[in-house]
Amino acid sequence: INWKTVKEYEDITYKKAGGVARIAFNRPEIRNAFRPKTTSELLDAFQDAHEDTSIGCVLLSGEGPSTKDGKWAFCSGGDQTARGHQGYVGEDGYHRLNILEVQRLIRFMPKAVIAVVPGWAVGGGHSLHVVCDLTLASKEHAIFKQTDADVTSFDAGYGSAYLAKMVGQKRAREIFFLGRNYSAQEAYEMGMVNAVIPHAELEDTAYEWAQEIMAKSPTSIKMLKFAMNLTDDGMVGQQVFAGEVTRLAYMTEEAKEGRDAFLEKRKPNFDKKWIP
Ligand code: 1HA
């Protein structure tokens, strides 16, 4: 894959190739934990991937392995050294929880986002894989674990409640209440991983899955994603879906007539065809 760096960041890498964007955590020595700077960079990169019409699919992964001990990580959640009394503190001194904004960008992105998990997916990192559309995991190195209840920094949104819809209530409660390690195979059997891939083939396989998705009709992929989101997202889910309905309505003769009539200061003539 001929990845080309799009923009240099401190805490993440951002590359593109063949219509696929690849965003990856780049703090491997601390298992790719995120601090406010990381989430700001993620927001910037995801926004670009959202708006770039040449991009059809986004991979979210973690760089590695750690130069300290050779271990791999997707993301180990919030950087515990960046936690002050009111939450995670940025370099500017403000406390932020903007990883939830990153979750929303992934959730409402009109393209598929694939979590490519080469190692640890822990805490808020686990929640990120949950919110992605698909998850591919390294057979040898991926480990899924929820430590939120160990460190009192818990995701009471998608990370837990949506997870429960994915793996079932009993399993989700076990994952959060016991905080055990689960292998890629166990996560697959629970229904939160789409495929277990040999580590050496993980990146190429993710790229192939992205290409397969991108061979489909973009509008279908977008509307199917939003349709599957809708029932869990309440009025916001409807709002996202509705935006697309309006976009389609703009393309009709009726919409043209409505606009033209206003601009020409006359009554609109909608031709009164009530299509069944
Ligand atoms: O859920 C949320 C949120 C929800 C809603 C709204 C906002 C949220 C914000 C954040 C979060 C969270 O993510 S809470 C959960 C935070 N994360 C954790 O509790 C995981 C902490 N890490 C671990 O449990 C383990 O490190 C590990 C299972 C990921 C890996 O274990 P391993 O392979 O034995 O490595 P370990 O030696 O523990 O770690 C390697 C180095 O990375 C250590 O540093 P060193 O001793 O080499 O100096 C370790 O301290 C560092 N490290 C690992 N994870 C973090 C970390 N440093 C800071 N923050 C971390 N999360």
Side-chain angles (χ1 to χ4, degrees):
I1 310 164
N2 191 15
W3 292 116
K4 293 218 163 54
T5 296
V6 179
K7 190 170 166 183
E8 298 285 352
Y9 293 101
E10 203 175 318
D11 288 4
I12 65 168
T13 57
Y14 184 31
K15 298 173 183 176
K16 291 178 186 172
V20 182
R22 179 184 181 277
I23 299 170
F25 292 94
N26 193 20
R27 307 181 81 203
E29 278 64 51
I30 53 166
R31 306 283 185 254
N32 288 324
F34 55 77
R35 53 180 172 169
K37 184 181 192 66
T38 324
T39 50
S40 296
E41 293 181 354
L42 285 171
L43 289 173
D44 191 59
F46 269 108
Q47 195 60 41
D48 177 83
H50 181 126
E51 283 170 12
D52 185 343
T53 52
S54 73
I55 293 298
C57 195
V58 183
L59 310 181
L60 177 62
S61 191
E63 301 293 354
S66 164
T67 53
K68 274 190 177 172
D69 58 12
K71 285 198 192 173
W72 289 88
F74 171 68
C75 172
S76 65
D79 183 337
Q80 296 307 296
T81 66
R83 254 177 88 176
H85 188 52
Q86 294 168 294
Y88 297 86
V89 195
E91 284 166 346
D92 54 9
Y94 288 106
H95 296 79
R96 294 191 184 83
L97 280 174
N98 52 12
I99 193 61
L100 298 181
E101 216 173 316
V102 175
Q103 289 188 3
R104 288 195 291 273
L105 272 187
I106 294 171
R107 182 79 174 169
F108 302 135
M109 170 91 59
K111 321 171 179 188
V113 182
I114 305 177
V116 183
V117 180
W120 288 105
V122 181
H126 191 279
S127 297
L128 280 177
H129 108 81
V130 167
V131 89
C132 287
D133 297 296
L134 302 169
T135 299
L136 301 178
S138 159
K139 182 174 189 284
E140 297 90 330
H141 302 303
I143 309 175
F144 296 82
K145 182 182 180 72
Q146 249 310 347
T147 56
D148 282 11
D150 292 315
V151 293
T152 324
S153 174
F154 54 91
D155 187 336
Y158 288 111
S160 52
Y162 185 57
L163 175 71
K165 301 218 172 199
M166 200 172 282
V167 301
Q169 287 288 345
K170 299 282 184 188
R171 281 298 202 176
R173 285 164 206 238
E174 177 190 315
I175 290 168
F176 268 89
F177 294 176
L178 280 75
R180 289 184 180 163
N181 295 356
Y182 299 96
S183 67
Q185 184 60 30
E186 287 168 326
Y188 172 79
E189 281 158 18
M190 277 189 250
M192 62 175 177
V193 159
N194 293 86
V196 180
I197 313 287
H199 191 84
E201 295 161 27
L202 182 63
E203 188 96 5
D204 284 354
T205 306
Y207 185 78
E208 282 162 21
W209 280 51
Q211 294 298 337
E212 231 175 294
I213 294 168
M214 282 156 52
K216 311 291 181 201
S217 110
T219 302
S220 306
I221 296 296
K222 174 171 68 176
M223 296 313 293
L224 287 166
K225 171 169 175 169
F226 291 164
M228 286 183 241
N229 286 356
L230 179 56
T231 51
D232 290 313
D233 288 350
M235 195 67 92
V236 174
Q238 180 166 340
Q239 185 203 41
V240 171
F241 203 88
E244 299 303 325
V245 172
T246 309
R247 190 205 301 275
L248 291 174
Y250 283 145
M251 298 173 194
T252 63
E253 283 301 314
E254 284 175 49
K256 189 169 170 287
E257 172 62 9
R259 178 202 58 198
D260 290 350
F262 176 81
L263 294 175
E264 290 161 19
K265 300 190 188 301
R266 59 176 174 79
K267 278 194 169 171
N269 173 13
F270 289 122
D271 206 12
K272 293 291 181 290
K273 283 204 188 78
W274 302 97
I275 302 157

